[in-house]
Amino acid sequence: TWKSERVITSRQGPHLRLAGGGAGILNFCANNYLGLSSHPEVIRAGVETLEQFGAGLSSVRFICGTQSIHKDLEEKISHFHQREDAILYASCFDANAGIFEALLTPEDAVLSDELNHASIIDGIRLCKANKYRYKHMDMQDLEAKLQDAQKHRLRLVATDGAFSMDGDIAPLKEICRLAEKYEALVFIDECHATGFLGPNGRGTDELLGVMDKVTIINSTLGKALGGAAGGYTTGPKPLIDLLRQRSRPYLFSNSLPPAVVGCASKALDLLMESNTIAQSMAAKTQRFRSKMTAAGFTILGQDHPICPVMLGDARLAAVMADDMLSRGIYVIGFSYPVVPKGKARIRVQISAVHSDEDIDRCVEAFTEVGRKHGALP
Ligand code: PLP
């Protein structure tokens, strides 16, 4: 189960070339949900911004690292999410590392879903607030913890909007209802939702009708929004102002490189022009999920392009993933400690730029490999 990295010698996309000769490999394990990583307009915007604004700022934002493009992108992000303001980071990992410590004191409490992303867990570790961990998406447990947390000054419920390992979606309606009842703020990490969940791709809060109830959103520019790098927090202006003063990964790390800003900015333009791109993935996801289920596999989650093919055994997941690659399909097995013991899986991720034929080829290969290794009868 030792992890190794496969080396890609082409652009990111549904069809890849790998070092060592593999060409025409079908890629089913990138977070390139909308295919914007290699979109011609996104690439052109990156090149133009690179030429106009240079390779980088050689500085953090508050010394001499803020260009007009950084301010423009922050405005675009807050407009996209219908929030008051936004702040950019070098990654969403940094956004998550910076927010809890800046916002919460030892008098406060943070309530976190047990399956939250590692960067949320690390961010919470860095703050001195009282920590509660509620069972995954368990609203009874969250309510009990919120009751206990009434003794603290401020309560913040923190959850992934969509969970990256299981492809399931946080019950935000119920979370927001409980937050209202117990006077808590709601924070969501939208890395696996921004750009494609909800009628206009705004994310889980749009999908579940709670855009006006979620206070803080952290998300990434490194997945659906062009896939380069970068992260952000968007929410109330006073909170964003506070982060600019206090958030350590923002204060003490370089500004986002202009080319990256240019790519993300164009990706947001494309998504705000029309909702066709955001809508383009649902049918493909449905095709993969229903065909795999019919073939006898168990797929976790609902309607999300993250489709975990459950296998249980860590070695089986690794061996099957290798065998899939020998048939030209690039997928990755996940096992402990990334997922709980006994819940190893191959995580398939559907992209809007997969064709129906790509998806059918993937299902056929899974069926053959599953039979060969005993995962299917
Ligand atoms: N949060 C979640 C849920 C993620 O899946 C990831 C990336 O894997 C991150 C945060 C970190 O995002 P970034 O790659 O922008 O640091």
Side-chain angles (χ1 to χ4, degrees):
T1 58
W2 186 265
K3 285 176 264 307
S4 57
E5 294 172 4
R6 290 172 186 149
V7 178
I8 300 167
T9 56
S10 62
R11 283 181 182 172
Q12 182 62 279
H15 301 160
L16 295 177
R17 202 174 325 108
L18 294 183
I25 303 289
L26 269 181
N27 179 14
F28 279 93
C29 53
N31 302 305
N32 185 19
Y33 294 112
L34 298 173
L36 297 182
S37 302
S38 307
H39 192 288
E41 285 187 53
V42 172
I43 294 173
R44 197 174 323 117
V47 170
E48 283 168 11
T49 319
L50 174 68
E51 280 179 350
Q52 192 180 345
F53 288 91
L57 273 300
S58 314
S59 180
V60 300
R61 289 284 297 272
F62 81 94
I63 297 181
C64 62
T66 301
Q67 290 172 315
S68 52
I69 48 170
H70 296 95
K71 298 307 286 178
D72 292 346
L73 179 57
E74 286 171 342
E75 202 184 312
K76 213 173 268 186
I77 288 168
S78 54
H79 181 62
F80 179 79
H81 285 285
Q82 298 173 26
R83 298 313 203 266
E84 285 174 18
D85 202 356
I87 175 174
L88 288 170
Y89 287 86
S91 67
C92 185
F93 203 108
D94 277 351
N96 286 343
I99 191 157
F100 300 101
E101 192 199 14
L103 183 63
L104 303 174
T105 72
E107 290 172 57
D108 303 321
V110 56
L111 302 96
S112 171
D113 187 295
E114 64 179 346
L115 293 192
N116 275 344
H117 188 260
S119 54
I120 300 178
I121 294 169
D122 285 7
I124 290 175
R125 276 187 191 144
L126 289 170
C127 82
K128 296 198 171 64
N130 298 276
K131 289 148 196 159
Y132 294 82
R133 199 168 67 143
Y134 62 91
K135 292 198 191 101
H136 181 48
M137 303 206 310
D138 183 331
M139 294 299 99
Q140 266 185 343
D141 196 33
L142 174 59
E143 180 154 22
K145 305 251 149 79
L146 277 165
Q147 280 164 355
D148 192 52
Q150 288 305 293
K151 55 188 182 248
H152 304 300
R153 184 187 69 134
L154 191 146
R155 286 154 294 285
L156 178 69
V157 180
T159 180
D160 279 10
F163 289 84
S164 61
M165 284 300 135
D166 289 353
D168 49 358
I169 292 171
L172 283 189
K173 253 197 163 79
E174 290 73 17
I175 290 176
C176 290
R177 190 184 60 75
L178 288 176
E180 244 165 48
K181 183 167 168 193
Y182 295 99
E183 296 186 325
L185 301 173
V186 177
F187 159 96
I188 56 175
D189 175 323
E190 286 283 88
C191 284
H192 295 277
T194 300
F196 57 93
L197 284 192
N200 301 295
R202 293 323 190 244
T204 319
D205 59 341
E206 187 195 29
L207 179 75
L208 299 176
V210 288
M211 284 184 90
D212 56 338
K213 298 214 159 54
V214 170
T215 314
I216 309 165
I217 293 175
N218 275 9
S219 193
T220 185
L221 305 172
K223 300 192 196 298
L225 300 183
Y232 57 85
T233 298
T234 183
K237 184 161 181 353
L239 168 76
I240 303 300
D241 290 344
L242 180 76
L243 291 174
R244 287 193 207 281
Q245 301 303 315
R246 289 246 198 98
S247 181
R248 293 168 70 81
Y250 178 81
L251 287 167
F252 301 117
S253 188
N254 231 12
S255 308
L256 266 189
V260 170
V261 174
C263 290
S265 188
K266 177 53 77 177
L268 282 167
D269 287 345
L270 293 172
L271 291 175
M272 286 195 280
E273 268 163 27
S274 107
N275 70 352
T276 338
I277 300 184
Q279 291 298 319
S280 60
M281 217 179 38
K284 310 258 167 72
T285 300
Q286 175 58 23
R287 186 179 185 95
F288 180 79
R289 283 180 170 272
S290 59
K291 289 201 165 198
M292 285 292 281
T293 308
F297 287 104
T298 302
I299 313 290
L300 285 191
Q302 298 158 350
D303 301 334
H304 195 281
I306 292 174
C307 306
V309 181
M310 297 308 287
L311 297 166
D313 180 65
R315 203 165 172 281
L316 176 65
V319 168
M320 274 184 62
D322 285 345
D323 208 348
M324 289 290 284
L325 186 61
S326 71
R327 289 155 207 259
I329 313 276
Y330 186 0
V331 286
I332 291 279
F334 287 89
S335 54
Y336 181 80
V338 182
V339 295
K341 275 192 179 134
K343 294 204 170 162
R345 76 234 12 218
I346 291 177
R347 185 179 69 171
V348 171
Q349 287 169 285
I350 305 297
S351 168
V353 285
H354 283 129
S355 66
D356 286 351
E357 294 71 39
D358 293 340
I359 287 168
D360 293 353
R361 237 186 91 197
C362 182
V363 175
E364 276 159 31
F366 258 114
T367 309
E368 283 167 27
V369 167
R371 286 200 188 115
K372 179 174 157 194
H373 295 283
L376 287 181

